[in-house]
């Protein structure tokens, strides 16, 4: 599971307006979809400026590779963003992977991906961070 957030999106909307914000989100989603090659992979808007990417049957290393490709694809769009430290739209991505198991609590995958996303944002944005899924003992 990848949790993807458009960095400083509120600033983008404030500077360029909601119509431009909607266009930005569409372009980010289209760009992300271009690097997802497998038929079972799914990209969905999770809320606001956040997206979830479901990558069934992939390990954490593969998921990080896909996340890096998405981050790079969004950067190549070079959408101007005056409210960003780097001058263009970027994304932060949290990555988590789990094998369904009796020791993995429901929701642990989402929580781990969300935790990784917030670590990416706190450590400078425009990056990918992976997090382990906690198991119950």
């Amino acid at each position: 599971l990848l949790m993807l957030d458009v960095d400083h999106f509120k600033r983008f909307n404030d500077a360029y307006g909601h119509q431009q914000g909607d266009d930005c989100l569409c372009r980010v989603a289209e760009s992300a979809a271009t690097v997802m090659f497998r038929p079972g992979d799914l990209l969905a808007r999770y809320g606001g400026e956040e997206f979830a990417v479901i990558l069934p049957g992939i390990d954490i290393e593969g998921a990080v590779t896909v996340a890096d490709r998405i981050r790079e694809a969004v950067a190549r769009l070079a959408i101007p963003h005056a409210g960003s430290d780097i001058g263009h739209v970027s994304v932060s991505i949290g990555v988590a992977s789990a094998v369904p198991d009796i020791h993995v609590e429901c929701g642990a995958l989402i929580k781990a991906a969300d935790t990784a996303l917030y670590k990416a944002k706190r450590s400078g944005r425009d990056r990918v961070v992976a997090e382990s899924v906690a198991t119950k003992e």
Side-chain angles (χ1 to χ4, degrees):
L1 176 65
L2 312 181
M3 297 296 284
L4 177 155
D5 189 75
V6 178
D7 295 327
H8 300 297
F9 189 70
K10 182 182 181 328
R11 292 182 192 172
F12 186 92
N13 263 347
D14 291 348
Y16 303 104
H18 292 284
Q19 189 64 42
Q20 288 285 85
D22 288 347
D23 181 57
C24 173
L25 293 176
C26 288
R27 292 183 65 196
V28 166
E30 290 166 357
S31 179
T34 66
V35 299
M36 297 168 48
F37 305 119
R38 302 174 320 151
D41 296 347
L42 175 70
L43 169 73
R45 190 165 176 191
Y46 191 67
E49 70 277 5
E50 199 165 85
F51 295 88
V53 179
I54 301 169
L55 304 168
I58 194 169
D59 63 14
I60 193 76
E61 292 82 13
V64 167
T65 298
V66 173
D68 281 328
R69 287 181 187 154
I70 290 172
R71 191 190 58 73
E72 292 165 2
V74 171
R76 280 193 302 274
L77 292 173
I79 300 169
H81 185 345
S84 168
D85 297 336
I86 58 176
H88 61 82
V89 169
S90 62
V91 294
S92 296
I93 305 174
V95 180
S97 179
V99 175
D101 184 279
I102 193 166
H103 300 290
V104 177
E105 285 194 28
C106 189
L109 183 63
I110 294 170
K111 182 177 181 182
D114 199 48
T115 298
L117 170 61
Y118 281 94
K119 284 182 180 179
K121 292 172 78 145
R122 282 193 307 268
S123 61
R125 300 179 194 266
D126 188 29
R127 65 194 64 227
V128 173
V129 172
E131 182 79 10
S132 296
V133 175
T135 58
K136 57 184 177 180
E137 300 288 329

